[in-house]
């Protein structure tokens, strides 16, 4: 599956999403609810959220500084606990590991709890090509699987659909009666999934925290199907990005306290599944085998960069998406990547290649709201700006796909001219003078000048009043020098 | 006390009256204002597009120009943040860092300087009106000067300040963003204007020429009957300085 998307493809999908009024309405209303819930919970339940954020930042920074060692400790302890640990350096490796496990057990169906890592490696499509069906059991994932769409959001994959639309999807795809009440919709999904859960042999999940000192994995969820996918099967496969490994339960608790309110505005999730081993001798239930796949997929390349490594602190709460004034206008699909929104702009080019997805770096006004709300204080806006410098050919040059990235000569020249003017007082004053003399022509020719044309698409022509210098000179008491 | 005044590029091209009012607000407090005629732009356009080398040259032009130990007063939270905070990031691990740091420590957004350093008290002479306020993102999250700006408005007793529901949300300007992503920018400014419209106010005030040009330009095109005004024009009007 190609990760490349052209500037034109981006433009097309962005315009399509902007013109989808229902989508705009759904996104705006849900994002507003998520933002408000988060704010209220933090105000009511947390005495010092900012200090907790700082603690979370430090936990992740220390972990990342020590990641190779912690990965080894995790592997050792996980094996001791009876887990089988696999290393996947890329998407292909991870997919092949899962396929070979399925084949070894002669199974052609796998039930999935929610996992963004599985989306990142396009597992469902890969398994389908090999005759295996992957069934999503997370409610949101189920909805989008029924309409063959990727997740629109990293936490809430079907957040772009309202309950009436979901009712229609269930009616059409599951032959269910038309409903729109959340409880009834839930019951439809429940009945449908219970059939799938009956007699299933292999379940797949993601991982929220992999605890090195304990060799345990911690999964956070709200619906219970994650617990079904990981406990009611014979074999559980957990796919885990290497950055999810942390040192201790204490660290995991700190991150969990930050994760949940950031993600949904709740202060605790319905389910915290901490898995320490497969079924032991004499135990009556639980999977007989648990496989943990540690996925790199260019993460170690990110870890090696002195600034970008901080993006690996991400605990996938999605709050940067919820607070992004661009995301709530266009939705996640318009980013043409598994990971949308601010964190998506930071990690997608690094995971999938700057040459493949650089147009998404424009989808940010650098308002910095994401950096302000990130629970582990990733400087998202600064990193987006840094990646723009990679795109301009002025970064540190280590980003995946750096040398193949298309660079706009016109843009480069424009900024050279800008620099030339802005470093000379004389040239700058001449520029202002020209604006003063010719500015009026913009009203007539504005629609022929590319930048101005874009500006005028929804705004009146600005009043150009380039007379500051003469006014200052006439002002009494000012030292004009 | 002497200060430098940095008018910003938009100030010198589209908001000269605002700059004059800003200077008068300083003079009213007995401040002597120096206007360097060779001043240009803070460098945000190239910086935000990732052209760091060009931006460093522009920054060094400013740093060399404003070389005496006077405070540098900027009538825009966005440009002030660039010069005070972003320059430090830009010159991290650069041989010029300590020089940049000295410069950055002298940069103030005007409302912050008026309130924190000069402790101004304003007497409102205007009619009773209703106004709302748009927070510029960079002023809010980088310069952190918004509270000072709003505190100045609150000194005006005949002005009823009605806050927007989404005051802290970007208006869609973002400098080059509005040119590179015009359709997304349009959706953003329309949301902002819907919020403004719902408040039934006479004015929307902002402390930043970029946001103001964006919001006022779009309101004008949409035929919205709310007047967009720069913070320093507004204050000057209210205290009869114009």
């Amino acid at each position: 599956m190609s990760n490349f998307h052209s500037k034109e493809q981006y433009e097309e999908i962005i315009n399509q999403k902007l013109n989808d009024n229902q989508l705009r309405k759904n996104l705006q209303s849900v994002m507003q609810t998520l933002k408000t819930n988060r704010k209220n919970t933090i105000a009511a339940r947390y005495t010092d959220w900012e200090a907790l954020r700082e603690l979370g930042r430090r936990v992740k920074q220390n972990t990342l500084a020590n990641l190779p060692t912690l990965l080894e400790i995790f592997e050792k302890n996980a094996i001791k606990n009876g887990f089988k640990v696999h290393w996947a350096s890329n998407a292909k490796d991870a997919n092949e590991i899962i396929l070979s496990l399925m084949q070894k057990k002669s199974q052609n169906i796998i039930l999935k709890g929610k996992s963004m890592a599985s989306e990142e490696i396009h597992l469902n499509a890969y398994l389908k090509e090999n005759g295996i069906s992957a069934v999503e059991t997370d409610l949101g994932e189920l909805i989008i699987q029924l309409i063959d769409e990727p997740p629109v959001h990293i936490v809430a994959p079907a957040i772009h659909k309202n309950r009436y639309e979901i009712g229609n999807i269930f009616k059409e795809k599951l032959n269910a009666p038309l409903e729109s009440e959340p409880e009834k919709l839930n019951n439809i999904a429940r009945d449908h999934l219970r059939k799938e859960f009956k007699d299933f042999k292999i379940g797949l999940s993601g991982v929220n925290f992999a605890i090195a000192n304990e060799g345990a994995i911690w999964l956070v969820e709200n619906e219970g199907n994650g617990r079904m996918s990981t406990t009611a099967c014979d074999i559980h496969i957990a796919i885990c990005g290497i950055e999810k490994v942390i040192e201790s339960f204490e660290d995991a608790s700190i991150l969990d306290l930050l994760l949940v309110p950031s993600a949904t505005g709740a202060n605790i999730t319905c389910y915290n599944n901490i898995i320490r081993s497969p079924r032991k001798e004499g135990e009556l239930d639980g999977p007989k085998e648990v496989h943990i796949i540690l996925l790199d997929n260019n993460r170690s390349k990110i870890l090696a960069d002195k600034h970008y490594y901080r993006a690996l602190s991400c605990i996938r709460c999605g709050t940067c998406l919820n607070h992004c004034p661009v995301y709530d206008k266009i939705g996640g699909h318009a980013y043409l990547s598994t990971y949308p929104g601010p964190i998506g702009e930071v990690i997608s080019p690094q995971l999938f290649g700057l040459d493949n997805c650089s147009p998404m770096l424009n989808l940010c006004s650098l308002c910095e709201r994401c950096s302000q709300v990130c629970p582990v204080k990733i400087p998202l806006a600064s990193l987006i700006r840094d990646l723009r410098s990679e795109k301009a050919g002025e970064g540190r040059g280590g980003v995946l796909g750096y040398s193949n990235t298309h660079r706009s000569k016109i843009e480069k020249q424009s900024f050279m001219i800008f620099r030339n003017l802005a470093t000379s007082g004389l040239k700058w004053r001449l520029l202002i003078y020209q604006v003063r003399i010719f500015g009026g022509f913009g009203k007539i020719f504005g629609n022929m000048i590319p930048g101005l044309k874009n500006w005028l698409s929804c705004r009146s022509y600005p009043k150009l009043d380039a007379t500051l210098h003469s006014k200052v000179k006439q002002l009494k008491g000012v030292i004009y020098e | 006390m002497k200060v430098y005044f940095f008018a910003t590029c938009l100030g010198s091209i589209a908001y000269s009256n605002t700059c004059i009012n800003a200077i008068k607000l300083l003079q009213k407090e007995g401040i002597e204002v120096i206007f360097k005629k060779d001043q240009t732009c803070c460098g945000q356009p190239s910086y935000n597009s990732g052209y760091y080398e060009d931006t460093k040259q522009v920054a060094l032009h400013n740093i060399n120009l404003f070389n005496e130990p006077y405070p540098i007063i900027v009538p825009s939270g966005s440009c002030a943040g660039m010069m005070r905070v972003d320059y430090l990031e830009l010159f991290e691990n650069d041989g010029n860092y300590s020089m940049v740091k000295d410069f950055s420590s002298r940069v103030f957004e005007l409302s912050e300087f008026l309130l924190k350093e000069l402790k101004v008290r304003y007497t409102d002479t205007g009619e009773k009106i209703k106004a709302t306020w748009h927070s510029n993102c960079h002023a809010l999250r980088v310069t952190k000067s918004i509270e000072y700006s709003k505190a100045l408005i609150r000194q005006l007793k005949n002005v009823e300040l009605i806050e927007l529901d989404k005051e802290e949300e970007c208006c869609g300007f973002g400098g080059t963003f509005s040119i590179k992503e015009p359709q997304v920018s349009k959706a953003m400014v329309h949301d902002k204007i819907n919020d403004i419209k719902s408040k039934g106010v006479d004015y929307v005030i902002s402390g930043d020429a970029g946001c103001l040009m964006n919001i006022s330009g779009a309101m004008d095109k949409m035929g919205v009957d709310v007047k967009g005004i720069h913070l320093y024009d507004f204050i000057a009007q209210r205290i009869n300085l114009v």
Side-chain angles (χ1 to χ4, degrees), chain B residues 35-166:
Chain B
F35 190 101
K36 297 297 261 185
K37 64 178 180 185
D38 283 342
Q39 60 176 280
T40 58
C41 167
C42 67
Q44 270 191 96
S46 51
Y47 182 58
N48 288 346
S49 291
Y51 291 84
Y52 289 175
E53 288 310 314
D54 292 326
T55 312
K56 277 186 173 184
Q57 298 305 312
V58 177
L60 287 172
H61 171 80
N62 291 322
I63 291 161
N64 290 324
L65 188 66
F66 298 97
N67 57 353
E68 298 289 334
Y70 307 131
I72 302 148
I73 311 301
V74 189
S76 151
S78 180
C79 310
M82 173 71 188
M83 295 162 91
R84 182 157 83 191
V85 181
D86 294 328
Y87 277 12
L88 294 175
E89 207 172 308
L90 183 64
F91 285 90
E92 194 193 353
N93 302 322
D94 185 293
N96 290 312
Y97 186 79
S98 66
M99 185 172 85
V100 176
K101 206 173 164 192
D102 168 70
F103 171 88
S104 293
S105 68
R106 290 186 282 123
V107 174
F108 295 87
E109 195 279 320
L110 175 58
S111 65
E112 176 188 24
F113 191 75
L114 289 171
L115 205 64
K116 206 161 75 173
E117 302 294 320
L118 305 177
K119 307 197 167 30
V120 296
R121 295 296 307 167
Y122 290 136
T123 310
D124 193 0
T125 60
E127 299 277 292
K128 274 196 187 305
I129 54 136
K130 286 179 183 176
T132 189
W133 164 261
H134 164 69
S135 282
N136 162 277
C137 298
H138 222 64
L140 180 71
R141 303 188 184 95
V142 179
T143 322
K144 304 189 187 340
S145 59
I146 292 296
E147 274 318 304
Y148 301 106
S149 304
K150 287 171 78 175
L152 286 183
I153 300 173
R154 289 202 187 94
Q155 288 189 5
L156 306 167
K157 65 177 188 327
N158 290 333
V159 178
E160 187 187 343
L161 182 63
I162 300 168
E163 285 173 345
L164 294 175
D165 294 336
K166 298 179 186 174

Side-chain angles (χ1 to χ4, degrees), chain A residues 11 14-15 18 24 28 32 35 306-307 323 325-326 328-330 359 362-370 372 382 385-392 394 408 411-412 415-416 418-419 421-426 428-429 431-432 435 450-452 454-469 471-472 475-481, chain B residues 2 4 7 9 11-17 19-20 23-24 27 32-41 43-55 57-58 61 86 89 92-93 137-138 140-142 165-166 168-170 172-174 176-191 210 213-214 216-218 220-221:
Chain A
E11 271 170 23
I14 290 164
N15 282 329
L18 283 172
R24 292 273 301 276
Q28 200 164 46
Q32 196 52 38
K35 279 185 280 200
K306 63 177 180 174
H307 283 311
H323 287 80
V326 175
D328 79 352
K329 309 293 180 297
I330 61 177
N362 284 346
L363 296 174
C364 168
S365 66
L366 293 176
C367 79
E368 302 256 359
R369 205 171 186 195
C370 49
Q372 187 189 32
S382 297
R385 192 193 291 114
D386 274 4
L387 284 159
R388 288 180 180 174
S389 82
E390 307 283 349
K391 188 178 163 185
E394 293 194 7
S408 162
E411 189 179 270
K412 195 172 176 58
F415 284 115
M416 224 169 68
F418 166 75
R419 186 243 297 150
L421 294 168
T423 51
S424 156
L426 184 66
W428 192 259
R429 284 197 300 282
L431 172 75
I432 296 174
V435 171
L452 202 52
N454 286 353
W455 177 265
L456 294 173
S457 66
C458 72
R459 304 168 192 90
S460 301
Y461 189 78
K463 290 190 188 78
L464 298 176
D465 167 29
T467 53
L468 180 63
H469 283 256
K471 280 180 184 158
V472 170
L475 198 63
K476 224 177 113 190
V478 177
I479 305 166
Y480 182 83
E481 56 178 38
Chain B
K2 281 185 180 173
Y4 285 125
C9 60
S12 47
I13 289 170
Y15 285 82
S16 57
N17 288 335
C19 292
I20 295 296
I23 293 173
K24 284 182 181 170
Q27 288 180 326
E32 196 169 2
V33 175
I34 307 167
F35 190 101
K36 297 297 261 185
K37 64 178 180 185
D38 283 342
Q39 60 176 280
T40 58
C41 167
Q44 270 191 96
S46 51
Y47 182 58
N48 288 346
S49 291
Y51 291 84
Y52 289 175
E53 288 310 314
D54 292 326
T55 312
Q57 298 305 312
V58 177
H61 171 80
D86 294 328
E89 207 172 308
E92 194 193 353
N93 302 322
C137 298
H138 222 64
L140 180 71
R141 303 188 184 95
V142 179
D165 294 336
K166 298 179 186 174
E168 301 191 349
E169 205 147 296
C170 178
F173 176 60
T176 48
F177 171 77
S178 57
I179 306 291
K180 286 182 179 173
E181 294 295 338
Q183 296 309 316
V184 185
S185 170
K186 181 179 173 178
M188 288 159 77
V189 73
H190 282 186
D191 271 16
M213 200 163 85
N214 179 38
S216 308
D220 192 43
K221 188 122 177 176

Side-chain angles (χ1 to χ4, degrees), chain A residues 40-113:
Chain A
N40 293 345
T41 298
I42 289 172
R45 299 268 191 165
Y46 288 74
T47 49
D48 197 346
W49 177 255
E50 287 308 312
L52 189 62
R53 277 178 84 213
E54 178 54 26
L55 200 58
R57 184 190 72 85
R58 262 189 269 153
V59 163
K60 285 300 288 194
Q61 299 272 280
N62 293 341
T63 305
L64 292 171
N66 244 336
L67 193 60
T69 316
L70 288 172
L71 280 162
E72 281 176 22
I73 297 172
F74 175 77
E75 183 187 29
K76 201 181 86 201
N77 287 330
I79 291 171
K80 210 160 65 188
N81 290 343
F83 291 118
K84 298 212 163 42
V85 178
H86 307 257
W87 296 86
S89 65
N90 52 37
K92 186 168 163 277
D93 285 1
N95 282 328
E96 284 173 2
I97 292 165
I98 296 165
L99 178 66
S100 88
L101 285 169
M102 300 285 298
Q103 286 169 339
K104 222 188 289 175
K105 307 289 170 187
S106 310
Q107 293 298 316
N108 58 8
I109 182 162
I110 185 166
L111 259 62
K112 290 178 68 194

Side-chain angles (χ1 to χ4, degrees), chain A residues 60-61 64 243 299 302-303 305-316 342-348 350-351 374 376-380 383-384 387:
Chain A
K60 285 300 288 194
Q61 299 272 280
L64 292 171
E243 83 282 15
R299 283 165 175 76
I302 302 178
L303 188 65
D305 183 273
K306 63 177 180 174
H307 283 311
Y308 300 131
Y309 83 98
R310 293 189 63 179
L312 294 179
S313 299
C314 177
I315 53 174
R316 302 284 189 269
I343 186 64
E345 284 173 63
V346 173
I347 60 175
S348 300
Q350 303 192 70
L351 293 174
C374 173
V376 288
K377 295 172 98 169
I378 303 171
L380 290 157
L383 297 181
I384 290 171
L387 284 159

Side-chain angles (χ1 to χ4, degrees), chain A residues 102 105 107 109-111 200-204 233 235 237:
Chain A
M102 300 285 298
K105 307 289 170 187
Q107 293 298 316
I109 182 162
I110 185 166
L111 259 62
F200 83 115
K201 295 282 182 277
I202 301 193
L204 183 127
C233 48
I235 298 161
I237 304 170

